[in-house]
């Protein structure tokens, strides 16, 4: 007979804290008692030691059963099952009044005794049951239900969603960070002007997507955080990328045009640098953009455009006031008084800065909108970061939604034996439910408004997320459960409303249930060829799923040339992440992979026979180009939903944009592309790869 769980284990299970998980070696890892207690406290449970588990468990059980209904329910295909918590002895009727999004009421009534019992519990000595009632005929949308049963009253958000996310035609696209793009008109670093040029060119070749890193708002002053995965907000956009030239063409604004001309010398100097200088670039953009914003105050047409934007997006006014306060007083955790508590006041403290941020967001909204509505442009493939900076607007305004005693991260794996701490406060799943997932809905809606395809960073976080207690090493983290059905339903609903396909970044430690649920909901997976190459002389590449977005690598992997030549191994040895002996073993394994890959591609006619296979430390560039082209052709002919080509792979760039786990050692998120768009267009081998994609992809039909 299995022994009953301890009171602490039962409390963890009730709170959604997962005590064990299977690591990358296939071994079971159990969270320490110290980590369990720390995460429970981060979840708002009052517990100081294991001895307090009994009272905390009783209180948590009582709280879970105290509401007559759960805060959220999902209606797949128009039917929801709502649980009613009532005393076991309660009789009489129940009434559920659903206020549909349209404003129409839907009333469901009946007798409690006629409803099936799904669970039982003793709450403060009273026998309590959960009875379930089905509500059918719900249209897609978010509906508010008022429940009266057993003498109690409660409310529930019903998320009525289609069973599968919005679909997308098969196609192909290119990927590049916006900041890295270079064209003949680049102003220091890449902007939406350069992204639009790339989207226009990609569309002309037959591609349907341009992928990039997150375009979310960022901090470039105090605090300073250049990583696009630690944004100042996931709800608003990064003004560093605004197309200043488009503003000069749109508005007859002498001050703005003069500021733009005055900035060209500085822009030329910045353009000549191989790395983005974010502080100087942000200062340049701010100076020009502020000239347009200040001028716009006296222009009725500009004022009305900004006012219409604020009316359609009311929260942007609060965001602008927050950013203005940060500009004046620094990061919000250092504020005092009412502002620290969340009250920014009715009177503008820094009106010029507020106007600047409002104007910037309105212009970015217009410029980003073109990508979804202009048929001459390939659509945007955007990326929703898994979290937001601790000092962000999102945490400031919705701090009760976040667990501020922990950070999101990843457990140890082959590349990071010490695990990863992303220094991002995780959303408290219970707090999110109590708000009807208001913040998550807003994030998805903001991103999908301009994306044709949205990638959900670390999609496993929809069902479980690795939390690291503050002050603990990443190896001592604990997984916390999330209401996956509710979050998937939100993505499916918003994807149809915004006509945006959804992709899940499913790399790393992935639970068994994640990918089947993604496929069930039409959430595309990732196929990364670097992880699917054969490991022996007679091996084959891993099969490409038909619901995949396929590529040779990602922004977190080496470039293809860096991988092919083993530069990533050398770099990890140099950084002390692995020993020299481990590096030698990895080079030997990589050599086997190279040989097997060449054999595989040659046998299938995807690259010409090679007179000699390159050695482990000295692969021939010509062979690397042939293999890169052959693998891209393999992906093009695969059943993958989308094939994405990283621009830098087209000329065998060796340096990566990012090396995970190296926040200060390397210039992550700063390196500009070695070639301009015009140079790529004149590169015969590069164009041959894209022409091959354009030829192969339309031949695959649904």
């Amino acid at each position: 007979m299995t022994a009953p769980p301890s009171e602490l284990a039962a409390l963890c299970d009730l709170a959604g804290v997962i005590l064990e998980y299977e690591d990358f070696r296939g071994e079971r890892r159990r969270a320490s008692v110290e980590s369990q207690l720390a995460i429970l406290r981060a979840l708002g449970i009052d517990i100081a030691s294991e001895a307090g588990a009994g009272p905390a468990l009783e209180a948590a059980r009582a709280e879970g059963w105290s509401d007559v209904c759960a805060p959220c329910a999902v209606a797949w295909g128009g039917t929801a099952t709502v649980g009613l918590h009532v005393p076991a002895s309660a009789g009489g009727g129940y009434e559920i009044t659903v206020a549909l999004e349209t404003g129409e009421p839907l009333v469901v009534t009946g007798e409690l005794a006629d409803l099936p019992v799904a669970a039982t519990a003793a709450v403060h000595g009273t026998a309590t049951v959960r009875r379930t009632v089905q509500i059918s005929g719900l249209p897609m949308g978010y509906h508010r239900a008022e429940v009266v049963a057993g003498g109690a009253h409660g409310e529930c958000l019903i998320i009525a969603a289609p069973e599968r996310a919005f679909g997308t035609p098969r196609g192909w696209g290119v990927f590049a960070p916006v900041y890295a793009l270079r064209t003949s008109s680049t102003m220091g670093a890449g902007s939406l002007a350069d992204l639009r040029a790339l989207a226009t060119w990609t569309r002309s070749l037959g591609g349907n997507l341009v992928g990039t890193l997150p375009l979310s708002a960022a901090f470039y002053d105090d605090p300073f955080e250049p990583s696009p995965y630690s944004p100042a907000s996931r709800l608003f956009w990064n003004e560093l990328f605004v197309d200043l030239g488009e503003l000069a063409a749109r508005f007859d604004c002498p001050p703005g045009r003069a500021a733009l001309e005055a900035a060209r010398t500085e822009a030329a100097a910045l353009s000549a640098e191989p790395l983005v200088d974010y502080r100087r670039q942000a200062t340049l953009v701010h100076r020009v953009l502020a000239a347009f914003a200040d001028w716009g105050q006296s222009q009725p047409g500009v004022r009305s455009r900004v006012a219409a934007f604020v009316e359609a997006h009311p929260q942007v006014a609060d965001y602008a006031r927050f950013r203005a306060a940060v500009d004046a007083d620094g990061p919000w955790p250092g504020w005092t008084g009412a502002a620290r508590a969340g009250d920014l006041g009715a009177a503008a403290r820094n009106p010029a800065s507020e106007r600047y941020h409002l104007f910037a967001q309105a212009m970015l909204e217009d410029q980003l909108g073109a990508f979804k509505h202009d048929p001459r442009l390939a659509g945007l493939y955007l990326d929703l970061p898994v979290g937001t900076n601790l000092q962000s607007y999102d945490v400031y305004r919705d701090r009760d939604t976040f667990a501020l005693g922990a950070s999101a991260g990843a457990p140890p794996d082959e590349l990071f034996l010490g695990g990863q701490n992303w220094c991002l406060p995780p959303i408290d799943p219970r707090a999110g439910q109590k708000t009807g997932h208001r913040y998550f809905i807003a994030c998805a809606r903001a991103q999908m408004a301009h994306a044709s395809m949205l990638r959900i960073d670390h999609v496993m976080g929809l069902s479980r997320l690795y939390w690291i207690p503050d002050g603990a090493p990443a190896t001592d983290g604990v997984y916390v459960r999330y209401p996956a059905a509710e979050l998937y339903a939100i993505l499916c609903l918003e994807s149809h409303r915004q006509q945006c396909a959804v992709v899940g970044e499913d790399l790393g430690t992935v639970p068994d249930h994640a990918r089947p649920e993604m496929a069930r909901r039409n959430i595309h997976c990732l196929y990364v060829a670097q992880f699917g190459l054969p490991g022996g002389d007679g091996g084959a590449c891993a099969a490409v799923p038909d619901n995949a977005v396929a590529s040779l690598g990602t922004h977190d992997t080496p470039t293809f040339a860096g991988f092919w030549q083993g530069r990533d191994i050398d770099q990890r040895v140099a950084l002390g992440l692995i020993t020299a002996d481990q590096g030698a073993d990895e080079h030997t394994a990589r050599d086997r992979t190279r040989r097997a890959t060449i054999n595989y591609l040659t046998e299938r006619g995807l690259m010409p026979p090679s007179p000699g296979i390159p050695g482990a430390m000295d692969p021939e560039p010509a062979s690397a180009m042939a293999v890169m082209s052959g693998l891209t052709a393999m992906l093009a002919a695969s059943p993958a939903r989308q094939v994405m080509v990283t621009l830098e792979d087209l000329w065998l760039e060796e340096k990566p944009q990012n090396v995970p786990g190296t926040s200060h050692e390397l210039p992550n998120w700063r390196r500009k592309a070695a070639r301009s768009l015009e140079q790529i267009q004149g590169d015969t081998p590069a164009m041959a790869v894209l022409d091959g994609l354009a030829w192969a992809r339309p031949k695959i039909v649904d």
Side-chain angles (χ1 to χ4, degrees):
M1 178 180 291
T2 303
S6 69
E7 290 179 323
L8 180 59
L11 177 61
C12 285
D13 182 64
L14 187 64
V17 178
I18 302 172
L19 296 182
E20 290 186 343
Y21 71 94
E22 185 176 292
D23 69 9
F24 68 101
R25 295 189 181 97
E27 300 174 357
R28 301 297 299 179
R29 293 177 67 104
R30 186 175 180 87
S32 68
V33 170
E34 292 76 13
S35 292
Q36 295 174 39
L37 294 171
I39 295 303
L40 288 171
R41 288 191 291 268
L43 285 165
I45 294 175
D46 184 13
I47 182 169
S49 67
E50 189 171 4
L57 175 61
E58 183 178 354
R61 281 175 173 162
E63 181 185 357
W65 284 79
S66 61
D67 294 330
V68 70
C69 60
C72 297
V74 175
W76 294 115
T79 299
T81 299
V82 177
L84 307 181
H85 294 158
V86 295
S89 60
Y94 65 87
E95 180 175 287
I96 302 176
T97 304
V98 182
L100 302 177
E101 269 192 347
T102 58
E104 301 172 28
L106 175 64
V107 180
V108 178
T109 60
E111 294 296 317
L112 285 172
D114 295 335
L115 298 177
V117 174
T120 62
V123 180
H124 297 309
T126 300
T128 305
V129 297
R130 178 184 299 122
R131 297 183 181 273
T132 58
V133 57
Q134 284 198 334
I135 304 175
S136 301
L138 294 166
M140 283 200 317
Y142 302 103
H143 313 301
R144 289 284 175 183
E146 291 191 4
V147 178
V148 178
H153 175 275
E155 292 186 354
C156 174
L157 174 71
I158 300 178
I159 308 164
E163 296 188 2
R164 292 171 61 79
F166 183 77
T168 183
R170 297 183 190 271
W172 65 273
V174 298
F175 167 85
V178 171
Y179 63 78
L181 289 172
R182 293 173 51 221
T183 67
S184 58
S185 60
T186 299
M187 290 285 293
S191 72
L192 292 182
D194 305 291
L195 187 62
R196 187 170 58 249
L198 177 62
T200 302
W201 177 56
T202 301
R203 188 64 176 167
S204 73
L205 296 176
N208 66 329
L209 288 177
V210 286
T212 193
L213 297 176
L215 301 180
S216 300
F219 290 126
Y220 295 127
D221 190 6
D222 180 21
F224 176 77
E225 179 50 78
S227 171
Y229 291 94
S230 184
S233 175
R234 297 195 293 175
L235 303 171
F236 301 102
W237 305 103
N238 190 339
E239 67 262 29
L240 189 78
F241 301 135
V242 71
D243 180 357
L244 299 172
E246 190 272 338
L247 299 184
R250 192 199 315 187
F251 300 122
D252 183 12
C253 172
R257 290 175 178 174
L260 182 59
E261 287 304 312
R264 292 197 183 279
T265 300
E266 171 77 352
L270 289 172
S271 295
E273 296 294 327
L275 301 176
V276 177
D277 186 330
Y278 282 106
R279 292 188 190 273
R280 288 175 62 190
Q281 185 71 29
T283 298
L284 181 151
V285 171
H286 186 282
R287 189 164 55 242
V288 178
L289 193 54
F292 280 97
D294 291 343
W295 167 84
Q297 272 299 102
S298 63
Q299 307 299 311
V302 177
R303 289 204 313 272
S304 63
R305 168 65 193 105
V306 174
F309 171 66
V310 174
E311 184 177 1
H313 305 82
Q315 195 172 7
V316 73
D318 188 56
Y319 170 75
R321 186 156 294 187
F322 168 84
R323 291 304 298 260
V326 173
D327 292 343
D329 301 326
W332 73 263
W335 298 352
T336 59
R340 174 69 171 78
D343 182 3
L344 292 172
R349 295 178 56 243
N350 192 346
S353 184
E354 284 191 35
R355 286 198 303 269
Y356 168 83
H357 287 289
L358 283 177
F359 180 81
Q361 292 302 315
M363 297 304 102
L364 286 163
E365 184 79 6
D366 289 346
Q367 293 178 356
L368 286 166
F371 287 88
K372 200 155 188 177
H373 304 295
D374 188 338
R376 297 168 297 179
L377 303 179
L380 285 180
Y381 174 20
L382 294 183
D383 196 351
L384 177 65
V386 70
T388 186
N389 193 288
L390 180 61
Q391 301 177 95
S392 68
Y393 168 76
D394 302 13
V395 176
Y396 172 78
R397 184 48 69 208
D398 285 296
R399 69 191 78 176
D400 290 342
T401 302
F402 293 87
L404 300 183
S407 295
D413 58 24
E414 297 97 326
L415 296 179
F416 300 99
L417 295 177
Q420 298 179 67
N421 186 333
W422 301 328
C423 299
L424 305 171
I427 291 176
D428 181 328
R430 295 189 302 169
Q433 285 180 302
K434 288 178 180 177
T435 67
H437 300 292
R438 179 187 62 228
Y439 173 67
F440 183 74
I441 292 170
C443 288
R445 187 173 291 166
Q447 299 284 329
M448 289 184 181
H450 301 305
S452 295
M453 181 176 280
L454 181 64
R455 175 183 179 270
I456 307 300
D457 188 29
H458 196 70
V459 72
M460 295 81 76
L462 297 179
S463 58
R464 72 176 194 183
L465 188 62
Y466 191 72
W467 288 25
I468 303 163
D470 283 354
T475 51
D476 289 350
V478 177
Y479 274 108
V480 175
R481 278 196 309 272
Y482 281 74
E486 295 164 21
L487 301 178
Y488 273 111
I490 289 167
L491 290 176
C492 288
L493 175 56
E494 292 297 329
S495 75
H496 277 270
R497 290 188 159 179
Q498 310 272 5
Q499 296 192 355
C500 175
V502 184
V503 182
E505 187 265 301
D506 56 339
L507 306 177
T509 304
V510 184
D512 292 340
H513 59 78
R515 290 189 177 111
E517 184 62 16
M518 289 169 62
R520 181 184 180 192
R521 301 301 171 202
N522 199 31
I523 308 292
H524 303 302
C525 64
L526 292 186
Y527 177 92
V528 180
Q530 286 184 29
F531 303 145
L533 296 180
D537 291 339
C541 289
V544 182
D546 61 3
N547 70 327
V549 174
S551 61
L552 298 183
T554 75
H555 62 269
D556 279 336
T557 68
T559 62
F560 176 76
F563 171 86
W564 191 250
Q565 298 184 41
R567 302 298 188 202
D568 59 311
I569 301 172
D570 297 335
Q571 189 172 60
R572 289 164 58 217
V573 172
L575 291 169
L577 299 176
I578 57 175
T579 67
D581 288 344
Q582 289 173 320
D585 291 342
E586 289 198 23
H587 271 300
T588 299
R590 189 70 55 85
D591 186 33
R592 289 196 299 268
T593 292
R594 280 194 290 267
R595 292 173 181 273
T597 301
I598 289 175
N599 289 339
Y600 177 84
L601 294 175
T602 301
E603 290 171 0
R604 285 154 182 78
L606 295 173
M607 65 176 289
S610 175
I613 297 175
M617 303 300 290
D618 187 29
E620 302 168 3
S623 295
M625 188 68 189
V627 174
M628 186 276 291
S629 300
L631 286 173
T632 303
M634 178 195 78
L635 297 181
S638 77
R641 179 62 51 173
Q642 288 286 146
V643 175
M644 298 298 296
V645 175
T646 298
L647 279 185
E648 292 186 317
D649 284 342
L650 295 176
W651 64 83
L652 300 181
E653 175 62 57
E654 296 178 8
K655 298 177 182 177
Q657 287 292 341
N658 174 53
V659 178
T662 58
S663 58
H664 304 293
E665 300 89 338
L666 297 173
N668 293 334
W669 318 118
R670 294 182 61 201
R671 192 177 52 74
K672 298 176 185 176
R675 298 189 185 183
S676 68
L677 185 56
E678 292 85 358
Q679 289 172 322
I680 301 170
Q681 292 168 343
D683 185 324
T684 300
M687 290 303 301
V689 174
L690 297 180
D691 288 342
L693 264 176
W695 177 84
R697 286 264 91 192
K699 297 176 67 177
I700 300 175
V701 296
D702 291 306

